[in-house]
Amino acid sequence: MSTAKARTAHAKAILGPQLHDQLANTKVLLVGAGGIGCELLKNIVLTGFGHITLLDLDTIDLSNLNRQFLFRKKDVKQSKAIIAAQTAAPFNPNVRITPIHGNIKEPQYDIEWFQQFDIVLNALDNLDARRHVNKMCMAAQVPLVESGTAGYLGQVQPLLKDRTECFDCIPKPTPKTFPVCTIRSTPSQPIHCIVWSKSYLVGQLFGEDEDASGELDEAEQQGENAQEIATLRKEAQAFKAVRQALRTPGAGGADAAKLVFQKVFNADIKNLLIMTDMWRSRAPPVPLDFDTIVDGTFELRKDTGSAPAAFFAVNGVAKAQANGAEKANRSGNGNAVASGSKVPVEKEVPVAATTNGNGIGSNANGQAAPALKDQKALSLKDNLELFVASTTRLASRLQNGEESIAFDKDDDDTLDFVTAASNLRSAAYGIEGKTRWEVKEMAGNIIPAIATTNAIISGLIVLQALHLLRKSYNELRNVHLQFKPAVPLSTIKLSPPNQQCGVCRDTYASVLCDPVRATLGAVVKGIMGDDGREISVYEDQRVLSDPDWEDNFERTLESLNVTRGKFLTIVDEEGEVGTIAVGLGVLPPNHPYTEPPFILPSPLPKPPKKIKPAAIPLPETPQRTSLKRARSLDLQEDENGVIEIEPTPKKQKLESNKRKLNEDEQSPSKRRKLEKDGLLLMDGAQDNLEQEDFIVIDDD
Ligand SMILES: Nc1ncnc2c1ncn2[C@@H]1O[C@H](COP(=O)(O)OP(=O)(O)OP(=O)(O)O)[C@@H](O)[C@H]1O
Ligand SMILES: [Zn+2]
């Protein structure tokens, strides 16, 4: 057998000659060349996909090399897409890989561009880009395989307009937040102190001169303790002096750091202690003292030697350990603090993750093991020194012209500062400390990437992609990789689209136009044809017209900042007919100047009548990966240990922004209402559209 034949023999045997030949001509777009993307590129090249476009906006970072195996050290700072394409192309001489170093959200990647592909594979790491690709695939009617991994968990979801749920059919959970008072006055866990330090203190000291009273107003309205709020207000106002000191050359060194320390770890805590009621049911914090920490005589709890002291041994010596840790161990009082011999590890932390409070890492047997610098437990004095050093560095950056500094996990100065400040606060509140490594992980919301998870998920993506290309729609499954060694995979049959979805239930159309010449009115009237319904028109969240207000119809699309890659959304005023989403593309170069400056789709879009949401809420979707649920449904694992779960009716999705707007629009007096709310409306074609002219109805 020739080498070329031998190379494809196995793939051909597995796929069958028909699919094998089809793949050679298949055009696939792979978005993302990171952890999943590298694995997936290798897979699709070896499977025999013939035309691959690989797009990624990023360059290679040293930290990518442990799992993004198409990259080498010499490639650091080069384009991910270009290097991945170069490395993977020789895996199959018949493949054509077109790398693009760019952002998938750029306007040139419009509906027409997406339509050139037979299938799109997402290997992205953020919701925003995923949602964008989902929408473009729905608009272009191109099948998409969506995927993601988090530590040991992973998911693959095939998506096809009108057949399956889209990525946006199910609302995504919002990130966890903490009540403002927990963060600002009564923390009880390390994460509370970390959030305080990175989201509040860094901003107050090094950020824009922002008034942080908004969230306090809100807390007050929600009935929080008025005295506590008043104290927190005073505390925030008193930042002025320290902000000034940090920005003053000469005073901005260690003295300024000491000033900050005295304010936040001593004076502010003393002020909170005045509210004795607050500390009846919880342990009061201990004001820290700069000088005695430096000279080694400071004691966190003079009285009982309570557990937290074990983690903040003064001078790096586990002075408190003898009385503190042991007592904590014996008392077993259920506090969040752990024994002096082992700090609880919240997430997977490799190598010498446990520490014994004296700055030396210990392994599982309690034997001393040399800790990496970042994984070393810091004593109270270590933290104070780190606080002074990092505050001084940040202050000098401000003095050298940086206007404001925000937390960034990859900015060593801010990470050092957040590590030290959160540990000092933890010490004051009797909460265990965290290593710099752990703080980076928690503050940066880092979930360790696991190469094996990416490899498994990338294999599953190819299987789902093959089902889509074969049009074996009954074979499609959502697949979950779960942290259950006995049943690592579960598959779920696909649910139909959510009828209330604001993305995949829209009727999409594409208009090729010259936005410099085409007016809003001409395009909208062209799309609507002889359909005389009352409509409103939006671009994203901006209202461009409604039935009582069509002033913008005269304006060119460009003057309204509605250009290539954007969508005009045409919403039925009565809410009875589906929404039309018109994607804007460019005119072909040979389009005659004498013709209208746009080409309408043919046939014109005919959105369906809307299905009214059911009055009675449907039962909630089950925990999809839950084994318990699978068992309760009496489902059997198949021969591969895979459990299959039938989809159940889903809960009505919260109306999308657009639908919320729709309700608003029912009233013809919306324009007046918006103006009453202080929102600005554009009055005539001569108006220049400024950013502030946009009417933002709801922020996402
Ligand atoms: N809008 C976008 N357009 C193009 N590529 C994107 C876009 N958003 C994210 N990506 C790419 O998706 C990839 C996701 O891969 P991955 O999750 O492994 O992230 P990473 O940045 O390589 O790793 P880590 O975040 O763990 O350091 C990245 O290479 C990233 O550049
Ligand atoms: Zn949807």
Side-chain angles (χ1 to χ4, degrees):
M1 209 187 291
S2 73
T3 327
K5 270 199 176 153
R7 181 189 299 280
T8 56
H10 289 102
K12 203 165 186 168
I14 293 166
L15 301 170
Q18 200 185 341
L19 183 59
H20 180 265
D21 293 349
Q22 182 188 340
L23 290 188
N25 298 314
T26 296
K27 291 186 84 181
V28 54
L29 168 65
L30 169 49
V31 195
I36 295 179
C38 282
E39 287 285 346
L40 186 52
L41 180 65
K42 172 258 294 170
N43 288 353
I44 57 176
V45 169
L46 293 176
T47 309
F49 283 76
H51 302 270
I52 301 168
T53 299
L54 174 66
L55 185 146
D56 197 299
L57 55 71
D58 212 357
T59 53
I60 298 160
D61 189 83
L62 188 69
S63 67
N64 299 147
L65 302 186
N66 64 353
R67 63 193 186 287
Q68 298 173 25
F69 66 99
L70 299 176
F71 311 137
R72 296 284 171 269
K73 202 166 173 192
K74 66 175 171 46
D75 304 323
V76 167
K77 295 206 162 55
Q78 309 277 340
S79 153
K80 282 185 169 181
I82 294 172
I83 300 295
Q86 278 171 6
T87 313
F91 298 171
N92 182 349
N94 299 321
V95 72
R96 239 189 78 198
I97 308 179
T98 311
I100 302 178
H101 182 75
N103 187 332
I104 194 63
K105 293 187 73 179
E106 284 165 28
Q108 68 268 34
Y109 310 125
D110 57 12
I111 298 180
E112 280 65 39
W113 186 82
F114 268 85
Q115 274 168 340
Q116 67 179 301
F117 300 106
D118 299 301
I119 191 161
V120 177
L121 310 177
N122 262 357
L124 287 161
D125 61 352
N126 64 85
L127 213 55
D128 186 45
R130 287 184 157 117
R131 295 181 69 177
H132 178 82
V133 176
N134 173 62
K135 180 167 180 168
M136 296 310 292
C137 286
M138 293 300 130
Q141 305 247 23
V142 179
L144 166 67
V145 186
E146 169 48 51
S147 61
T149 60
Y152 293 104
L153 308 179
Q155 187 184 355
V156 177
Q157 188 182 13
L159 307 168
L160 185 59
K161 177 138 176 26
D162 299 335
R163 258 183 196 275
T164 72
E165 273 171 352
C166 81
F167 186 70
D168 265 327
C169 273
I170 305 263
K172 303 287 171 277
T174 45
K176 188 169 169 42
T177 56
F178 300 100
V180 60
C181 290
T182 305
I183 298 302
R184 301 271 282 271
S185 50
T186 52
S188 59
Q189 295 170 24
I191 187 68
H192 299 154
C193 298
I194 292 170
V195 169
W196 170 83
S197 171
K198 80 160 188 174
S199 306
Y200 173 67
L201 191 59
V202 171
Q204 288 296 304
L205 297 175
F206 309 107
E208 314 253 303
D209 191 1
E210 247 178 33
D211 168 26
S213 60
E215 52 182 12
L216 294 178
D217 294 346
E218 219 170 273
E220 195 164 22
Q221 278 162 18
Q222 284 164 9
E224 293 287 349
N225 180 337
Q227 196 193 354
E228 183 182 350
I229 302 286
T231 308
L232 290 175
R233 266 191 224 290
K234 260 193 231 145
E235 177 191 306
Q237 279 155 11
F239 268 105
K240 277 211 158 57
V242 287
R243 280 179 67 89
Q244 193 54 42
L246 289 168
R247 284 159 180 77
T248 309
D255 288 350
K258 187 171 178 183
L259 208 64
V260 177
F261 182 99
Q262 284 303 130
K263 175 183 164 17
V264 294
F265 300 117
N266 189 284
D268 289 349
I269 290 179
K270 281 183 180 155
N271 282 337
L272 283 173
L273 286 173
I274 295 170
M275 289 178 290
T276 41
D277 276 1
M278 253 172 79
W279 312 109
R280 287 222 169 94
S281 55
R282 50 167 81 86
V286 179
L288 303 183
D289 182 67
F290 194 97
D291 294 328
T292 52
I293 293 176
V294 172
D295 71 22
T297 57
F298 179 78
E299 278 183 52
L300 264 171
R301 295 242 189 275
K302 289 195 184 76
D303 44 356
T304 57
S306 62
F311 298 96
F312 292 100
V314 180
N315 289 336
V317 179
K319 191 170 155 189
Q321 203 175 1
N323 56 358
E326 259 188 31
K327 275 185 191 168
N329 268 343
R330 271 184 273 122
S331 67
N333 57 7
N335 281 347
V337 287
S339 79
S341 62
K342 195 173 178 195
V343 176
V345 181
E346 296 210 340
K347 283 184 199 148
E348 201 65 14
V349 181
V351 203
T354 57
T355 51
N356 58 8
N358 61 4
I360 299 173
S362 67
N363 61 21
N365 304 323
Q367 291 159 345
L372 295 176
K373 182 180 144 261
D374 271 11
Q375 294 169 3
K376 178 176 171 281
L378 300 167
S379 70
L380 199 50
K381 188 175 177 189
D382 290 339
N383 279 306
L384 183 137
E385 284 168 356
L386 189 61
F387 181 82
V388 172
S390 56
T391 306
T392 310
R393 274 182 269 143
L394 290 165
S396 77
R397 277 168 57 175
L398 291 177
Q399 289 159 28
N400 287 329
E402 228 172 300
E403 269 179 19
S404 78
I405 303 170
F407 173 74
D408 173 353
K409 68 178 172 27
D410 299 318
D411 173 340
D412 278 344
D413 298 339
T414 59
L415 179 60
D416 282 344
F417 178 84
V418 166
T419 304
S422 56
N423 276 339
L424 290 169
R425 184 166 174 86
S426 289
Y429 278 87
I431 299 167
E432 83 211 54
K434 290 281 169 193
T435 64
R436 187 178 186 272
W437 172 281
E438 290 167 321
V439 172
K440 181 171 184 175
E441 210 178 22
M442 292 166 82
N445 297 322
I446 298 171
I447 301 171
I450 296 178
T452 313
T453 309
N454 288 339
I456 296 170
I457 288 299
S458 304
L460 294 166
I461 294 170
V462 179
L463 296 183
Q464 294 305 319
L466 294 177
H467 291 321
L468 281 167
L469 290 169
R470 266 200 218 103
K471 299 195 169 34
S472 310
Y473 298 135
N474 289 335
E475 305 293 318
L476 292 173
R477 295 289 184 276
N478 285 337
V479 188
H480 294 256
L481 181 61
Q482 45 199 19
F483 194 55
K484 289 178 184 158
V487 196
L489 289 178
S490 77
T491 65
I492 304 158
K493 285 191 178 160
L494 300 192
S495 302
N498 175 354
Q499 288 308 322
Q500 308 309 315
C501 177
V503 176
C504 68
R505 294 304 80 220
D506 287 0
T507 300
Y508 285 90
S510 182
V511 169
L512 307 180
C513 69
D514 173 4
V516 178
R517 292 188 293 139
T519 60
L520 177 68
V523 171
V524 169
K525 284 175 188 156
I527 286 285
M528 295 306 290
D530 52 11
D531 187 336
R533 287 184 289 129
E534 299 222 304
I535 49 147
S536 295
V537 181
Y538 300 83
E539 188 280 312
D540 197 10
Q541 293 162 21
R542 291 188 290 146
V543 185
L544 299 178
S545 81
D546 71 23
D548 299 335
W549 176 62
E550 292 185 346
D551 305 17
N552 284 330
F553 272 16
E554 302 296 312
R555 297 179 63 161
T556 64
L557 292 174
E558 193 188 58
S559 77
L560 291 164
N561 197 15
V562 181
T563 47
R564 186 176 186 185
K566 296 194 175 165
F567 285 88
L568 282 175
T569 311
I570 304 177
V571 179
D572 181 48
E573 186 71 359
E574 298 303 321
E576 287 173 356
V577 181
T579 297
I580 304 174
V582 183
L584 298 184
V586 280
L587 284 173
N590 58 357
H591 184 77
Y593 203 78
T594 46
E595 295 281 308
F598 53 86
I599 301 175
L600 294 170
S602 172
L604 291 174
K606 286 274 165 274
K609 284 231 176 264
K610 273 173 100 173
I611 301 168
K612 292 263 176 231
I616 308 159
L618 295 165
E620 214 165 319
T621 312
Q623 264 290 320
R624 300 196 148 195
T625 50
S626 159
L627 185 57
K628 250 192 238 143
R629 156 107 195 151
R631 293 245 159 92
S632 73
L633 289 173
D634 213 16
L635 294 172
Q636 297 297 316
E637 294 170 23
D638 71 9
E639 69 275 16
N640 303 318
V642 171
I643 288 186
E644 208 151 270
I645 304 171
E646 290 287 338
T648 47
K650 59 182 100 14
K651 207 174 155 187
Q652 291 298 347
K653 188 194 167 207
L654 280 177
E655 298 276 86
S656 74
N657 280 340
K658 222 179 300 162
R659 304 297 191 258
K660 272 188 263 161
L661 290 173
N662 210 1
E663 280 169 21
D664 242 0
E665 291 156 46
Q666 306 295 333
S667 135
S669 59
K670 184 182 64 200
R671 180 157 193 246
R672 276 193 305 279
K673 199 166 142 254
L674 289 172
E675 279 175 338
K676 210 174 96 223
D677 290 344
L679 295 164
L680 207 103
L681 289 145
M682 292 165 285
D683 265 330
Q686 71 283 8
D687 279 7
N688 269 338
L689 189 91
E690 301 285 340
Q691 191 64 32
E692 58 268 26
D693 286 341
F694 298 171
I695 301 165
V696 177
I697 297 295
D698 195 355
D699 37 24
D700 203 347

